[in-house]
Amino acid sequence: MFQQGLKGVVAVQTAIASVDGDRGELRYRGQLVEEVIHGKSFEETAYFLWHGQWPAAAQLTGLQQQLIHSRKLPAHIIKIAQLLPKESSLMDAMRTLVSAYPDAKFKTLPSAEQAITLTAALPVMTALFYRIQNGQMPIEPREDFGHTANYLWMINGQEPTNAQIEALETYLKLTMEHGMNASTFAARVTISTESDLVSAVTSALGTMKGPLHGGAPSGVIDLLDSMKTEDRIDAIITEKLDRGEKIMGFGHRVYRTEDPRSVILRKKCLELEGEDPWLDLATVAESRIIKQLTVRKPGRALYTNVEFYAAAIMRSIAMPTQLFTPTFSIARIVGWTAHALEQLENNVIFRPQSEYIGN
C-alpha cells in the first residue's frame, strides 16, 4: 500500500510520548504534558523522558553536574566554529559542530550519558557561533545557572530575569518531544543502522532545518509587531481577513481542538501578566482574533497553535529570529536522543518499499 509521506502509517512502537489530535492531548511517558512539567525543571523533565521515571535527589544532582561539566566544549569544536563562514546559518553551524563533536566518550555504544553531553553542548555551540557570527566575543558558561538560564546568559551576556527564565523554560519543556515528527523519525532511521548517537542527532538537525518542520514563527512576530498595542488589534485582524489572508499562529495539522502546548503557554503568559507587554498583548490578541474568526469562519474550529505563544515568548525575551529554530532544536534534542536510545532496545533497520512508476 502506498501512502504519500507515510501519513497514518505506524512504523514505530514507543513508550516515550503520544499525540492525540482529536482530544488535544500530548502525553510524555503516558502522563498529560501539563501534569508532567508542572513544578518541574528542564533537567527533571529531560530525565523523565530519557528514563521513564523521575530522578531521586541524588540522581538530579548528578544530572545537573553532568550538564554543567558538558558545557565545556572540546577545543577542536571552538576552532571549527571560528573557521566556519559567518554567513552560515545557525542550523548549518549546529549540524556541523555536532557532527564534529565525538571524543573518547562517544567511542562506546550510544548511552544516556552521551545524550546528556549533547543536550548540554548544543546550546553552548549555538550561542558560541551566534556571537562569532555577530562579531561579538563568546561568553563563558555559568556553573551557578541552570540549563535555560545559562543559554540566555551565553547569548547576550546579561543575567536573565526570573520571568524570562520561566517563560522560555516552559516553552523548552513543552517542545522536548512530540511523537513521530520528521526530525525524530530521521534520528530513529539513522540509529537503526547501528550508527552512533552523534549521527542520529546530526540527521535530526538537518531535518529540523527544513521550513516545513522547524520553520520559525516569524509570521506571528510580524503580526504582533503590526499590532503593537491592544487598541490596534481589531482593525489589523479585520483588514487581514478582508484581504483573505491567513492569520498566523492559528490552526494545526494534527490537533483538531486546542493545542495543549498553547494552552499551557497561555497560562504561563497570564501568570506573568504585567511582567512583559508582549506577553500581555498576545493573550488579549488571541481572544480578539478567535472572536473574529468565529464570526467570519463559522463552523471552523480555529485555535492558537504552539507557535503563537512561542513567538510571544521569544519576542518578550528579545530572542533574535535566527535563534528561533535553533532554540526549538535545543529542546527537541531530548526527544531525539530518547527515541534513538529506545530504537536500539529492539532494533530493526528501517527498509520501506518503493513503488516504481517510470516507463
Side-chain angles (χ1 to χ4, degrees):
M1 179 187 75
F2 169 64
Q3 183 64 51
Q4 190 171 16
L6 300 179
K7 183 178 180 180
V9 175
V10 177
V12 166
Q13 291 183 319
T14 180
I16 297 171
S18 61
V19 181
D20 188 327
D22 293 329
R23 300 174 66 177
E25 290 182 353
L26 169 61
R27 292 177 180 268
Y28 286 179
R29 297 287 184 178
Q31 298 182 29
L32 290 171
V33 70
E34 52 265 41
E35 297 172 0
V36 170
I37 71 168
H38 180 69
K40 302 296 184 181
S41 65
F42 176 97
E43 291 84 348
E44 289 172 297
T45 308
Y47 188 99
F48 182 67
L49 280 174
W50 283 324
H51 299 284
Q53 61 186 26
W54 292 108
Q59 292 169 321
L60 178 58
T61 299
L63 172 60
Q64 291 167 333
Q65 290 174 344
Q66 283 181 280
L67 287 167
I68 290 170
H69 175 75
S70 297
R71 290 174 190 168
K72 184 173 177 58
L73 299 177
H76 73 277
I77 293 296
I78 297 173
K79 289 180 181 178
I80 293 172
Q82 293 168 337
L83 290 171
L84 287 173
K86 288 186 178 180
E87 60 270 20
S88 299
S89 74
L90 273 166
M91 291 301 292
D92 286 338
M94 292 166 74
R95 184 190 61 214
T96 300
L97 295 174
V98 166
S99 69
Y101 194 90
D103 56 15
K105 186 182 297 182
F106 290 89
K107 291 182 179 179
T108 59
L109 293 174
S111 64
E113 182 182 2
Q114 294 175 13
I116 293 167
T117 297
L118 293 174
T119 299
L122 191 61
V124 177
M125 290 187 282
T126 304
L128 169 67
F129 186 73
Y130 169 73
R131 291 190 66 84
I132 290 173
Q133 189 178 50
N134 287 278
Q136 299 172 311
M137 290 295 294
I139 295 172
E140 290 295 315
R142 290 263 300 261
E143 293 190 2
D144 58 326
F145 278 165
H147 189 80
T148 304
N150 184 68
Y151 176 53
L152 289 170
W153 160 255
M154 292 194 69
I155 288 171
N156 54 37
Q158 296 178 354
E159 194 161 322
T161 66
N162 288 334
Q164 290 174 331
I165 297 169
E166 279 188 47
L168 182 59
E169 183 142 313
T170 301
Y171 169 75
L172 294 179
K173 290 184 292 184
L174 285 173
T175 50
M176 281 182 180
E177 168 60 13
H178 201 244
M180 199 46 51
N181 54 83
S183 56
T184 298
F185 184 56
R188 290 193 78 131
V189 169
T190 299
I191 206 73
S192 79
T193 68
E194 296 189 355
S195 187
D196 53 86
L197 196 61
V198 166
S199 295
V201 172
T202 302
S203 295
L205 283 167
T207 308
M208 180 68 89
K209 181 188 174 184
L212 293 183
H213 181 30
S218 55
V220 182
I221 290 287
D222 293 340
L223 178 65
L224 294 175
D225 278 339
S226 68
M227 294 172 180
K228 291 186 175 64
T229 55
E230 294 179 16
D231 61 301
R232 290 169 50 85
I233 295 173
D234 292 329
I236 293 291
I237 298 304
T238 297
E239 183 180 342
K240 287 184 174 295
L241 291 175
D242 287 345
R243 292 200 299 260
E245 293 182 18
K246 175 181 171 65
I247 307 300
M248 302 303 293
F250 287 75
H252 193 277
R253 181 178 178 181
V254 174
Y255 294 111
R256 297 294 173 261
T257 181
E258 285 194 283
D259 184 333
R261 300 167 300 173
S262 178
V263 174
I264 297 167
L265 288 177
R266 178 200 304 132
K267 182 179 179 181
K268 177 55 63 176
C269 289
L270 289 170
E271 288 175 1
L272 298 172
E273 185 175 3
E275 297 282 349
D276 186 274
W278 289 101
L279 300 182
D280 296 344
L281 177 64
T283 55
V284 175
E286 180 193 26
S287 61
R288 300 263 192 93
I289 293 170
I290 288 177
K291 185 177 180 180
Q292 286 210 43
L293 288 174
T294 301
V295 173
R296 300 287 286 267
K297 299 179 183 293
R300 291 186 62 187
L302 292 172
Y303 302 99
T304 47
N305 55 44
V306 70
E307 286 191 350
F308 183 83
Y309 278 107
I313 286 172
M314 298 299 189
R315 186 68 176 79
S316 73
I317 60 178
M319 182 77 73
T321 54
Q322 64 263 42
L323 277 165
F324 284 8
T325 305
T327 302
F328 185 6
S329 304
I330 285 164
R332 189 55 61 83
I333 191 174
V334 175
W336 295 336
T337 51
H339 274 273
L341 295 173
E342 183 185 60
Q343 177 66 33
L344 292 177
E345 292 174 2
N346 186 26
N347 186 50
V348 174
I349 188 172
F350 284 91
R351 182 60 172 87
Q353 297 296 311
S354 60
E355 180 181 358
Y356 180 68
I357 59 172
N359 294 327

